[in-house]
Amino acid sequence: MPMKAWYRDWFSSPYYHLLYNNRNDNEAFEFINRLIAYLHPQPGSKMLDVACGRGRHSKALAEMGYDVTGIDIAPDSIEAAKINEEEHLQFFLHDMRQPFWINYFDFAFNFFTSFGYFRTRREHDAAFRTIAQSLNNDGTFVIDYLNVHYTEDHLTRVESKKVDDTLFHISRWHDEEHFFKQIQIEQNGHVLKHLYTERVAKFSLGDFTDMLAYQGLQVQEAFGDYNLGHYDVRKSPRMIIIAKKAKK
């Protein structure tokens, strides 16, 4: 029996947005500003935000003077993002495993572990193929992912988080290939039937290097945190990879 695509229901759930609504946006925007300062895009560069959610970071990039397109698989996220559309900012409901615009973008971004969700390696390869094909020759791709060893060593097994009148009971565990996060929801003292389980692949720097190279993307640099610090396989909280599309 095929495994259900957990992300389709969860990313479209109002509880998903409620749980993650208080993410540290300031830290995120500081990271994006730092990244843009490092990359030095030309004014008006065309950028693709892959798995853009409700488009907060796409909007920030557009406000910096870039031409930004966001894609996401969740209909309600794209509906919310489209409210902010303007001449240099547009959003599309799109599955990253399916082809998108070809040889169009100067930069593509995948922020905050918005990858590793699919059931098979072939599906992840298809997503990278979409991204590689969307870039111009010499285009740049940046993926920001969890660092496997650090996450294993610092996993918070059980916690509860209260947002307004909703209580989230969160359990985390991992096996050889994946990290799991189960979310049980309680409202006004009543446990709801909704139970969601996130599942993210344990991809290493070597895995990404191989998958990207297969699509003609060569890894140029890897950073270990949102300050663009040195990447250490055990000590770095993040794995931020910068890859270039090979010129033809």
Side-chain angles (χ1 to χ4, degrees):
M1 183 176 177
M3 186 178 294
K4 188 176 182 181
W6 61 265
Y7 45 86
R8 287 189 179 273
D9 287 342
W10 180 221
F11 290 168
S12 294
S13 165
Y15 298 110
Y16 171 81
H17 297 291
L18 187 63
L19 177 60
Y20 292 119
N21 193 44
N22 294 324
R23 278 178 167 169
N24 191 332
D25 281 345
N26 288 335
E27 182 186 41
F29 292 131
E30 285 173 8
F31 162 57
I32 291 171
N33 283 328
R34 204 169 285 118
L35 186 62
I36 292 300
Y38 174 84
L39 294 171
H40 295 298
Q42 293 295 314
S45 290
K46 295 180 175 64
M47 296 182 171
L48 177 64
D49 185 1
V50 181
C52 65
R54 293 184 171 185
R56 286 176 294 182
H57 307 115
S58 300
K59 185 180 177 185
L61 289 168
E63 288 172 353
M64 294 179 196
Y66 305 112
D67 192 298
V68 184
T69 301
I71 60 172
D72 200 277
I73 200 170
D76 71 312
S77 291
I78 290 298
E79 184 179 349
K82 279 183 168 292
I83 294 170
N84 293 310
E85 281 190 331
E86 40 93 357
E87 183 181 356
H88 299 293
L89 178 63
Q90 53 188 334
F91 296 97
F92 296 92
L93 181 66
H94 190 80
D95 186 330
M96 70 171 82
R97 292 167 292 185
Q98 301 300 319
F100 197 56
W101 301 349
I102 307 297
N103 298 331
Y104 184 81
F105 297 99
D106 304 303
F107 294 86
F109 301 103
N110 183 249
F111 291 126
F112 310 114
T113 312
S114 300
F115 195 77
Y117 301 153
F118 305 125
R119 189 171 59 87
T120 65
R121 181 69 168 256
R122 180 178 292 181
E123 291 172 278
H124 290 102
D125 285 337
F128 277 153
R129 181 168 59 249
T130 293
I131 291 165
Q133 290 177 344
S134 76
L135 288 169
N136 292 324
N137 286 337
D138 205 33
T140 298
F141 173 51
V142 180
I143 182 167
D144 160 36
Y145 205 73
L146 57 80
N147 186 21
V148 171
H149 291 301
Y150 181 93
T151 304
E152 287 174 343
D153 291 342
H154 294 81
L155 203 65
T156 302
R157 300 286 177 172
V158 179
E159 69 172 315
S160 294
K161 181 178 179 181
K162 196 170 194 301
V163 184
D164 300 331
D165 64 349
T166 302
L167 185 61
F168 296 93
H169 300 288
I170 301 168
S171 303
R172 297 179 180 88
W173 69 96
H174 63 97
D175 61 19
E176 287 188 8
E177 296 184 343
H178 297 92
F179 291 103
F180 300 89
K181 181 196 293 185
Q182 188 177 76
I183 300 109
Q184 175 70 68
I185 301 162
E186 181 181 331
Q187 276 191 321
N188 299 318
H190 300 287
V191 176
L192 305 186
K193 292 181 180 179
H194 303 291
L195 185 69
Y196 300 99
T197 303
E198 299 181 4
R199 177 176 176 269
V200 179
K202 287 184 172 181
F203 288 139
S204 67
L205 179 56
D207 292 329
F208 279 119
T209 300
D210 290 344
M211 286 191 290
L212 292 168
Y214 190 69
Q215 306 301 336
L217 293 165
Q218 301 298 321
V219 171
Q220 306 289 306
E221 184 64 84
F223 296 111
D225 56 42
Y226 290 139
N227 292 316
L228 304 186
H230 170 74
Y231 173 73
D232 183 284
V233 70
R234 296 214 73 91
K235 298 178 182 177
S236 296
R238 305 298 300 174
M239 181 169 54
I240 300 162
I241 298 169
I242 298 177
K244 277 270 194 183
K245 185 173 180 178
K247 293 181 179 180
K248 293 182 180 180

